[in-house]
Amino acid sequence: MNTIADTITVIQKELLETIHFPHEEVLSDAVLIQFRKYEAQRAMKLGNTYKDKVKVVFEDTEGIKMIETTVWGMTDNDLIFKRGMMVPLNRIHEIII
C-alpha cells in the first residue's frame, strides 16, 4: 500500500530557488486550509522564539517534496525562510511541528 510518505522527496531548502510552483491550491477543504494557516503562524512563532525547525510538505510541478527548516516569517501568500526563500502557502500540504 502506498501512502503520501512513500512519494515525498526530501530536499535541502537551498534548492527552493530552482523550484516552480503552480498557482492552484493543493488543499480542497476549507477547514484544512484554515488549519494550515494556523500551523504556519505557529511554526513562525517557534522559529522566531526558539529557532525550532519544522518539516514543510509542499507540492511543485514535479511532485510532493519536504524540507526541514526554520520558518522566519509569513505573508498572506507565502511562508518565508532564511535568505528570503519562500514557499507559497497554497502549495503546502502540511506543516509538521
Side-chain angles (χ1 to χ4, degrees):
M1 177 168 88
N2 286 343
T3 64
I4 194 168
D6 295 334
T7 61
I8 295 175
T9 303
V10 179
I11 66 165
Q12 297 298 314
K13 70 177 177 293
E14 291 77 16
L15 293 177
L16 286 174
E17 296 173 336
T18 65
I19 292 177
H20 176 69
F21 294 101
H23 297 289
E24 295 80 26
E25 172 65 60
V26 295
L27 300 177
S28 59
D29 185 295
V31 172
L32 291 176
I33 292 170
Q34 273 303 110
F35 183 71
R36 178 183 58 202
K37 185 175 180 179
Y38 167 79
E39 288 294 290
Q41 291 169 339
R42 190 168 158 227
M44 181 182 64
K45 289 175 187 174
L46 287 171
N48 286 313
T49 305
Y50 303 105
K51 309 299 185 244
D52 283 354
K53 291 185 178 187
V54 297
K55 294 176 182 174
V56 180
V57 179
F58 62 91
E59 188 171 349
D60 66 0
T61 55
E62 296 175 1
I64 298 175
K65 295 182 171 61
M66 183 177 75
I67 58 171
E68 186 171 357
T69 189
T70 304
V71 176
W72 291 110
M74 75 179 274
T75 67
D76 289 339
N77 300 314
D78 299 296
L79 208 55
I80 305 169
F81 313 109
K82 276 187 178 177
R83 297 188 202 140
M85 289 184 257
M86 296 184 269
V87 171
L89 283 172
N90 67 337
R91 300 308 297 175
I92 297 174
H93 284 275
E94 182 178 14
I95 300 169
I96 304 166
I97 297 177

